[in-house]
Amino acid sequence: MKTKFIFITGGVLSSLGKGLASSSIGALMESRGLTITLLKFDPYINVDPGTMNPFQHGEVFVTDDGAETDLDLGHYERYTHTKLSQKNNCTTGRIYHSVITKERRGDYLGGTVQVIPHITDEIKRTIMELADDVDVVITEVGGTVGDIESLPFLEAIRQFKVDVGRENVCYIHLTLVPYIKTAGELKTKPTQHSVKGLSEIGIQPDILLCRTDRLLPPEIKAKIALFCNVEQDAVITAKDVETIYEVPIVFHQEGLDEKIIELLHMWTKAPNLSMWEEIVQKIKNPLDEVYIAVVGKYVNLRDSYKSLNEALAHGGLANECLVNLEHVDSEEIERNGIGDDISRADGILVPGGFGQRGIEGKIEVIRYAREHRVPFFGICLGMQLAVTEYVRNVAGLERAHSAEFDPDTPDPVIYLMKEWTNYQKETVEQRHEGSDKGGTMRLGAYPCHLLEGSFAYEAYKEEDISERHRHRYEFNTRYRELLTNKGMRISGLSPDNELVEIIEIPDHPWFLGCQFHPEFKSRPWSPHPLFREFIGASLNAKRSGG
Ligand code: GLN
């Protein structure tokens, strides 16, 4: 079968859920037995979001090949079985970077390099590069129609239809149909304007996804169809839902996948959504609930811990329980000590993070979890601080710290490894305090060997695993012996035994810290083993009144 292309654009305003819509369309295509991949274009100039503040841009999602990507790629991986890489996220910065590199090399010798055709060609090449092994390439264009920045991307996807033939391309536009209380009416004008904006640049949408809080009645659909020049059954209600995993189901009920395959002249198997129905059924009917305190810094912005929040919910799914999350600001703990939001928690989690703020508060909370035998899960920075806490308070080296936060500490238990094996590039790399910020991170999937009988092994039930990393500092091997003598267990190591990947306290109901980010690999249909076990342990703690 010839590869088909779906393009998803957004109108009216941001945050309508374009990423979830794209992911759900991916899920629907897979439910019909098609193979797919997803691509996200981000119109900003940064080459990737790696250096961006999570307050501004939300979580940085990491793929197996070590790409630092937009958080929408996290949704893509949670909703579909596609394997994503650097090729699946592309920014304006990356496009220009590659065009300018070619220009300097002399590839365009004699020509004037311009947005059209050089930039648009590069954009189209990026899409085409993904088309080889799949039935459908789903491309989401970031931003909102009307933005100056996204124009070259829209122009490129307009040209795309001419290049590959109209029967191979489907344009889907996500828009808003607000209900105005004072008028008691659903309003179609924002949608009309948005589609007009899109038509002006030459794109006539085939399908409209109308975000709304209620089902659109037939007369509203007819009105939108008439004014926006689409078929009435191509006006799809994208109603607010209780859980995000319901989106594929409601889209299907609205006939979205049927319409897509009709427009793209495809024949597929009948859709099978039983997996999604089961997930939603479980989410809506939990048998119990737990309360988890997540102690971090970016507490005001849920987007900065997107994958983490989802992985915790998946851990709940595996235990058929609802996970109530409270994000606790660790600076608050520094000011006022351990409060009620911590002491009533069934489990405590310290996630990854960068920067000095709130570090001592996190260490304080880890001490509390260790001493009060509350199930504890430390991720990346959370693991590093668990090690610091243990060295300080159990091994008695009071001034121990991570060299990231105290470069002059006499006991740098977490440090910059001068030389390390980069399994991604199969090279040995050098690193020092003055190294480039971008180049020195340990990024992407690394192998890890587990110790039999440990919490980690009990979770994975496998000796060899692979998990994704995004950090600069490491456990200082100099302290391994001291820590193990004092009762800490090292349960995960790199194949060369140099890098400590998992630590545990065996004499505790469940205390585990890992140097990697397991949340990136959790799926609703396949909850991550560590999240499953952590929520299970928290549930046990609650049931035993601990
Ligand atoms: N700041 C720490 C480091 O760079 C931890 C990073 C993280 O938690 N992702 O090593």
Side-chain angles (χ1 to χ4, degrees), residues 82 90 107 137 177 180 322 332 364 372 376 444 453 513:
T82 173
C90 184
D107 288 13
V137 179
V177 180
I180 303 298
L322 171 70
E332 193 54 36
E364 187 65 31
H372 290 78
F376 171 80

Side-chain angles (χ1 to χ4, degrees), residues 109 168 187-188 194 264 342-343 418 479:
L109 225 48
N168 297 317
K187 291 293 183 188
T188 65
S194 177
L264 289 173
I342 298 292
S343 57
K418 301 277 177 280
Y479 293 88

Side-chain angles (χ1 to χ4, degrees), residues 351-355 379-382 384 402 404-405 414 441 469-474 515 517:
F354 293 82
I379 295 176
C380 205
L381 177 65
Q384 298 176 351
S402 160
E404 180 178 11
F405 309 117
I414 305 295
M441 286 249 228
H469 291 251
R470 182 173 184 253
H471 57 97
R472 202 166 280 121
Y473 290 80
E474 305 283 351
Q515 189 57 83
H517 287 273

Side-chain angles (χ1 to χ4, degrees), residues 406-444:
D406 179 5
D408 304 320
T409 171
D411 291 299
V413 283
I414 305 295
Y415 76 144
L416 273 185
M417 217 170 223
K418 301 277 177 280
E419 207 176 83
W420 55 292
T421 310
N422 186 331
Y423 286 88
Q424 283 287 338
K425 299 184 188 152
E426 292 177 0
T427 51
V428 174
E429 302 213 10
Q430 316 283 335
R431 170 163 62 184
H432 55 85
E433 277 75 11
S435 302
D436 249 17
K437 281 271 184 283
T440 54
M441 286 249 228
R442 184 141 79 96
L443 279 169

Side-chain angles (χ1 to χ4, degrees), residues 17 27-28 30 53 66 147 172 218 236 248 264 307 322 330 335 344 362 380 401-402 453 459 474 482 511 538:
L28 287 174
E30 280 195 345
N53 182 340
D147 298 346
I172 302 182
I236 305 287
L264 289 173
S307 295
L322 171 70
S330 58
R335 282 190 291 270
R344 63 189 176 86
K362 289 180 191 175
C380 205
H401 214 327
S402 160
E474 305 283 351
L482 172 73
F511 190 109
S538 306

Side-chain angles (χ1 to χ4, degrees), residues 329-337 361:
D329 183 356
S330 58
E331 282 188 292
E332 193 54 36
I333 295 168
E334 288 174 5
R335 282 190 291 270
N336 301 323

